[in-house]
Amino acid sequence: MKNINKIIYSLPLFLIQSAYSKEDKPMNIIFIMSDDHAIQAISAYGNPVSKLAPTPNIDKIAHDGAIFNNNYCCNSISGPSRAAIITGKHSHKNGFMKNWAKGFDNTQQTLPKILQKNGYQTAIIGKWHLVSKPTGFDYWIVLNDQGEYNNPDFITEKDTVQYKGYVTDIITDITKKWLDSRDKNKPFFLMMHHKAVHRNWVPAEKYYHLYENIKFPLPENYYDDYTGRIAASKQKMNIYRDMYEGHDLKMVTGTNSDTLLYDPWPQAFMNRMTPDEKNRFFEAYRKRNNDFYASPKNEKEIAEWKYQRYLQDYLAVVKSVDDSVGEILEYLKENGLDENTLVVYTSDQGFYLGEHGWFDKRFMYEESMAMPMVMACPSIIRPGTKINQLTQNIDFAPTFLDLCGIEIPADMQGISFKPLLEGKKVKNWRKYLYYHYYEFPGFHSVRAHYGIKGKRYKLIHFYKDNNWELYDLKTDPHEMNNIFGKPGTEKITYKLKTELKKLQQTYQVPEELCR
Ligand code: SGN
Ligand code: CA
């Protein structure tokens, strides 16, 4: 197949088409990625929270295809995860290590560029977040930085245009229009990147009330005191301490007030709404906001009230993303594209929904390092496939190339998991993943760290302060008990440190980035 592709893509298009037998028809890929969508908020993963706020369309992909149960990012933050996805390389290799970095070097080799060279039509619609201009795409229309929920701006090669409406719906509409107008003689690779579910979690108007009466279960470690975990004790991503009451929690100054409490970025929120939209927004939250002021509350009650408000909004935002996935699946079916298109749903990283008392991500702990991922394609994936091996975002690019029958460049660091999708047994699949977070100082004050993750144990090094953490995920799945240095852990610590060194050598992590 590799060689066939090399030959046929150097032929004129009409010859390419006739050269493929029906089975050999090149695969299309729709890569749907949202932002900050936690595994806990996807019902296919079965978490109690998601049972109260199900995602039937994302679940349908899992049901018809594969669900990844051990899929992780290499650096839990937006730009770096996106750069790892399109390059198949760890952050230090693709150069985009922090959101606050200078722009992504867009002259380097990327997945869309390789696909484009091999006859694919490529497009990106939605969040880009790599600062420099998207390259390797025949069509691109991207949000400005994080983008806005209401009446958002979109940037194209030519100009910046404000669209009317709710960002998730707009991205879906633009996607369907592009699918309609694309060159139907070519296979396509489409990246559809939602702004949702990113902070500050503004639901679509039709969903303002969706979960207002639902009480979500409080994580058992909501009141974590971070004993034995120094970096965790120094973060600034606590729901009850660090969330902005106006901007994030939509709290107002008093009974019947239409003035938000602290909102440092009105330009990205309130100022995007028309006066009528603003009125409807405050009306929708009025009863709940008045109820808050109706009786005095102690600290604990406020902390739990904030948790509920956060989840109600977050999950209402998820609902629109799930609707969007449903629309795309429907579109593929109606247009006969469902058999030969790989549909992927994932998120740029995981997210905290109150575990450890947190929102946001960045830490190598499970909730933020894990990325949800489901994918379907009837011609290659059996319904109900479960992938339990350790996979990582650096694997996506090599896997997609492999699925398209295109040679994987030797300098990509990820591994193709195509055989796993096909249900094949793979001997010697990797046992450990490498992780490295760099953005400190930065938002939420998470110290830089690197580490190694196996299925059972995780070793983390906060290298600036030389603090180590070790977790046994089997006995301590919520990573509350740092056992580094405890009697009985000598052997596993030695083993993990040795494997960690090996990974740093294999991936060629420069020493100066580890101190
Ligand atoms: C914004 C958010 C932060 C978030 C970063 C990075 N603040 O700065 O809470 O950690 O983005 O997120 S906000 O109030 O402006 O939304 S990322 O997903 O893009 O990496
Ligand atoms: Ca993100």
Side-chain angles (χ1 to χ4, degrees), residues 343-368:
V343 185
V344 181
Y345 182 81
T346 187
S347 162
D348 60 345
Q349 4 77 199
F351 211 68
Y352 293 96
L353 295 185
E355 301 82 6
H356 305 283
W358 294 341
F359 64 104
D360 215 66
K361 52 265 175 174
R362 299 163 193 267
F363 279 106
M364 196 188 162
Y365 304 134
E366 286 296 293
E367 291 84 352
S368 41

Side-chain angles (χ1 to χ4, degrees), residues 2-11:
K2 265 180 198 165
N3 292 337
I4 298 182
N5 257 309
K6 266 195 195 148
I7 300 162
I8 43 192
Y9 280 123
S10 56
L11 296 172

Side-chain angles (χ1 to χ4, degrees), residues 35-36 77-78 99 127 129 146 198-199 247 265 348-349 360-362 443-444:
D35 197 340
D36 296 354
I77 184 158
S78 167
N99 274 349
K127 183 167 171 180
H129 212 205
Q146 298 286 6
H198 192 267
R199 195 178 182 183
H247 177 71
W265 295 291
D348 60 345
Q349 4 77 199
D360 215 66
K361 52 265 175 174
R362 299 163 193 267
F443 278 117
H444 304 294

